[in-house]
Amino acid sequence: MLRTVTAPSLSSSSSSTCLTISTQNKSYLIPHSFKLSSPLIGNINKSNSNRTVTCNYNPSRRLALFQLGAVIPQSQFLSGNLAPARSSEVTDQNVLEWVKNDKRRMLHVVYSVGDLDKTIKFYTECLGMKLLRKRDIPEDRYSNAFLGYGPEDTNFTVELTYNYGVDKYDIGDGFGHFGIAVEDVARTVDLVKAKGGKVTREPVPVKGGSTKIAFVEDPNGYKFELLERGLTPEPLCQVMLRVGDLDRSINFYKKSFGMELLRRRDNPEYKYTVALMGYGPEDKNAVLELTYNYGITEYSKGNGYAQIAIGTDDVYKSAEAVKQCGGKIIREPGPIPVINTKITACLDPDGWKSVFVDNVDFLKELE
C-alpha cells in the first residue's frame, strides 16, 4: 500500500531540527540526518511551502521502520537513526557482567509429540506428573499441554506440542534424554512395565555408588533417565543434549547464559565426557547435561525436540550477551504480537535452540 503524508517545510533557515510527518491522528519526528533514501521513503516533493513524503507501507510488516499507526516515541531517534524499543541500554563493557546477576531459571522444555492424550496419560500415570494446563489452537492446527511436578511459576515443566495430523517425529541422535528424580527407581520401573511402557535399561547401581538409575521411553520415543534420589523440589531435573566441543559449550553457557559449571565427569572407558550446568545445585534445580562423545563433532537434530525456555529480567541484554559469545539470534528481542510477552530466541554453537522469556511477562501469562 502506498500512503502520502505532508509535513512542514524544512528550508535552510528553519530552526527546527526534525521533519514532522503527520498521519491521521499521529505525528512522527524525523531528524535531519535520517537518510530519506530509506526503502520506506518513496518520494519527496521539494516545494518551498510544504514537503510531501511518500511512504511505502505494508501493514503486515510489524517491524517496519515506519509502521504508520504505531507510535514511535521521539526518544527512539538516537544520533539521527531509528533505534528499536528496548528496556535498557546495552553496552559491550557491562552486558556479560550483567548476565552473572540476572534473575534466571529454566522455565520449561518444549517438544512435539504424535499423540497428546496418550503422552499425557503416560506422564501422569507412570511418571507421576500433573497436567497443569492444556489449550487447543484450532486456527493454527495445534494443541499444547504443560505438565510437571509443581506450579509453572516455581518449577521446571514440559510443554508438549501436538500438530494436527502429525503422528510421528524424528528425534535425531543429538537429543539424549530427560532426567527425573524418583525415590525408588525399581518401583517406578515396575509401574512403567505394568502400564505397558517401554524400559530400555533395567535398574542398575551408579558406577562407584549404591543409588540406582534406569531408562524408560515415552510413547513417542523420548528417553527418560530415572535417578534415585530423596525428596527434591525439582523432580524434573535434567535435559541432556550432545555437543561437538564440550569446552566451547561450557564457555558459551557460562558467559552468555550465566550458568554455573556444577560438575564435569570424564568416562574414558566409554569414551565420553559430561558437564552439568545450571542455576543452582542439581539436587534442587533443573540442569542442562552436555555430553561429548569422543571424536564426534556433529549430530542430527531431528524435528521433535524444540527448545528450552529460560526466564530473564531483560531479553534485550540477553540477546546481546548471546551475540557477544558467538551464538546466533534467530528471533530478535521484543514482544510477541497480541500477548505482548517479550522474548528472544537463539542458537548455541551446536545449533541447539533456547528462548529467553521476560520474567514479569511470563508471570502475567500464567495469570
Side-chain angles (χ1 to χ4, degrees), residues 175-358:
F175 169 79
H177 60 259
F178 304 112
I180 295 181
V182 298
E183 291 187 73
D184 190 325
V185 166
R187 185 173 62 188
T188 304
V189 166
D190 289 342
L191 179 60
V192 170
K193 290 179 179 178
K195 295 290 184 179
K198 183 178 180 180
V199 177
T200 59
R201 184 178 180 182
E202 293 288 341
V204 295
V206 177
K207 185 177 180 180
S210 59
T211 58
K212 296 178 180 179
I213 63 170
F215 282 85
V216 300
E217 269 187 20
D218 79 355
N220 310 278
Y222 293 103
K223 288 184 171 62
F224 283 80
E225 180 182 12
L226 306 177
L227 302 104
E228 196 164 72
R229 291 180 182 173
L231 288 175
T232 172
E234 195 69 277
L236 182 59
C237 58
Q238 286 182 6
V239 177
M240 193 276 260
L241 303 174
R242 297 182 176 95
V243 298
D245 185 327
L246 189 58
D247 290 331
R248 178 185 65 182
S249 295
I250 290 172
N251 187 57
F252 175 81
Y253 281 100
K254 284 178 68 174
K255 288 187 175 181
S256 65
F257 279 50
M259 290 184 174
E260 301 174 52
L261 175 59
L262 302 172
R263 62 187 173 98
R264 177 173 178 160
R265 184 179 72 251
D266 189 34
N267 296 275
E269 180 182 354
Y270 298 102
K271 297 184 178 181
Y272 75 91
T273 306
V274 298
L276 272 68
M277 308 198 68
Y279 296 109
E282 60 183 290
D283 60 336
K284 297 179 181 179
N285 298 271
V287 300
L288 180 63
E289 180 181 340
L290 303 174
T291 298
Y292 168 70
N293 292 297
Y294 292 6
I296 302 178
T297 58
E298 292 185 6
Y299 295 91
S300 63
K301 303 294 189 298
N303 61 355
Y305 175 86
Q307 66 211 30
I308 292 174
I310 296 173
T312 177
D313 284 339
D314 193 319
V315 297
Y316 301 95
K317 287 183 178 180
S318 295
E320 184 61 27
V322 168
K323 292 177 184 177
Q324 287 190 32
C325 295
K328 180 180 180 181
I329 298 298
I330 57 174
R331 202 279 188 190
E332 290 294 334
I336 301 173
V338 182
I339 64 175
N340 290 321
T341 297
K342 293 183 288 295
I343 70 167
T344 188
C346 65
L347 300 179
D348 76 358
D350 289 277
W352 293 114
K353 181 181 176 182
S354 295
V355 175
F356 287 97
V357 183
D358 181 89

Side-chain angles (χ1 to χ4, degrees), residues 154-168:
T154 56
N155 286 76
F156 187 53
T157 63
V158 298
E159 177 183 344
L160 306 177
T161 300
Y162 169 70
N163 295 294
Y164 291 6
V166 183
D167 60 6
K168 191 174 182 180

Side-chain angles (χ1 to χ4, degrees), residues 312-313 357-365:
T312 177
D313 284 339
V357 183
D358 181 89
N359 284 322
V360 174
D361 292 347
F362 178 69
L363 293 179
K364 288 180 181 178
E365 267 194 66

Side-chain angles (χ1 to χ4, degrees), residues 135-144 162-164 338-339:
R135 61 189 180 190
D136 188 40
I137 302 92
E139 61 271 24
D140 293 324
R141 298 182 56 77
Y142 77 95
S143 301
N144 281 129
Y162 169 70
N163 295 294
Y164 291 6
V338 182
I339 64 175

Side-chain angles (χ1 to χ4, degrees), residues 59-79:
S60 67
R61 296 173 63 192
R62 296 192 310 272
L63 301 180
L65 195 57
F66 288 125
Q67 182 177 348
L68 303 182
V71 176
I72 304 179
Q74 185 176 357
S75 62
Q76 289 181 29
F77 292 100
L78 305 175
S79 304

